[in-house]
Amino acid sequence: MYPKISKHTFFIFLIVFTFYLAYELYFLDKVYFLCPINYKDGGIAVRSDSYGSGDFMARRNGSRRHNGIDLKADVGEPVYAVRGGRVLNARFHRGMGNYVEIRHPGGYVTIYGHLSRIDTLQGVHVRQGDKIGEVGRTGNANSPGLSPHLHLEIRLNGAPVDPMEFLLKQEVENAGD
């Protein structure tokens, strides 16, 4: 009928399964999406200055659209991973400056741009809430009239989605606590 499993094999299986479960729980997200900037008042501040709006799909040069949001914050402010995942990129890009890109379960990818400092490495697993960098003015965010900010993109299966939908949903859930 069923093959017999020795007590020794079963014991090894239990140990391996326990470690696997502990590993999975360690990376379990506590909330759906965390705001990457820890605002003291609990709100969310989107950049709006003489260079325009930092809103999702705001117009840029020509027919180009803004694929993320610009979260207003002081240079050096910590930036946290919105969800747990694997770091795909942690490097410099001409337009994005210092940036981090993280792949999350469910087809999500988040991009954090214009960082003054990167505090993670490509290929590393990060937990939700881990510090991955600091707000900066790198890349095309170094113009004197442009407010310091974090550029945040969320992509679902490669397509940009409005990060405010995720961050505001989280804000509403927290208000019910």
Side-chain angles (χ1 to χ4, degrees):
M1 297 232 215
Y2 296 106
K4 292 203 174 211
I5 299 174
S6 72
K7 291 178 186 178
H8 182 70
T9 304
F10 183 70
F11 183 69
I12 291 173
F13 169 78
L14 279 178
I15 290 172
V16 170
F17 181 73
T18 302
F19 278 108
Y20 170 77
L21 190 59
Y23 176 81
E24 288 295 317
L25 288 174
Y26 180 77
F27 286 100
L28 184 67
D29 293 334
K30 307 300 182 258
V31 294
Y32 188 53
F33 271 80
L34 186 71
C35 185
I37 303 292
N38 187 13
Y39 291 107
K40 306 297 184 251
D41 63 359
I44 296 171
V46 176
R47 178 189 67 79
S48 182
D49 52 32
S50 61
Y51 281 82
S53 167
D55 290 320
F56 181 68
M57 288 294 145
R59 289 192 182 278
R60 292 295 185 255
N61 299 340
S63 62
R64 201 168 65 92
R65 297 285 182 159
H66 192 230
N67 286 333
I69 59 172
D70 293 339
L71 296 170
K72 194 173 177 178
D74 294 331
V75 171
E77 192 73 30
V79 175
Y80 304 101
V82 299
R83 299 191 80 194
R86 180 182 290 274
V87 177
L88 296 175
N89 287 297
R91 61 187 173 94
F92 183 83
H93 176 273
R94 190 172 55 100
M96 197 69 74
N98 292 324
Y99 82 102
V100 172
E101 183 177 11
I102 303 173
R103 180 187 346 220
H104 311 279
Y108 289 101
V109 171
T110 53
I111 301 169
Y112 311 79
H114 310 309
L115 303 172
S116 63
R117 175 181 158 150
I118 297 173
D119 290 328
T120 190
L121 299 169
Q122 182 175 338
V124 169
H125 271 95
V126 294
R127 293 176 64 191
Q128 183 179 55
D130 280 354
K131 183 181 175 199
I132 57 171
E134 294 178 1
V135 173
R137 299 179 65 117
T138 60
N140 61 15
N142 64 2
S143 300
L146 193 60
S147 300
H149 63 276
L150 169 70
H151 174 81
L152 173 67
E153 287 185 33
I154 298 177
R155 295 177 178 264
L156 178 57
N157 299 321
V161 293
D162 186 357
M164 289 301 281
E165 291 181 20
F166 297 91
L167 300 180
L168 289 177
K169 178 181 178 191
Q170 186 57 42
E171 234 183 23
V172 169
E173 288 174 1
N174 285 342
D177 290 349

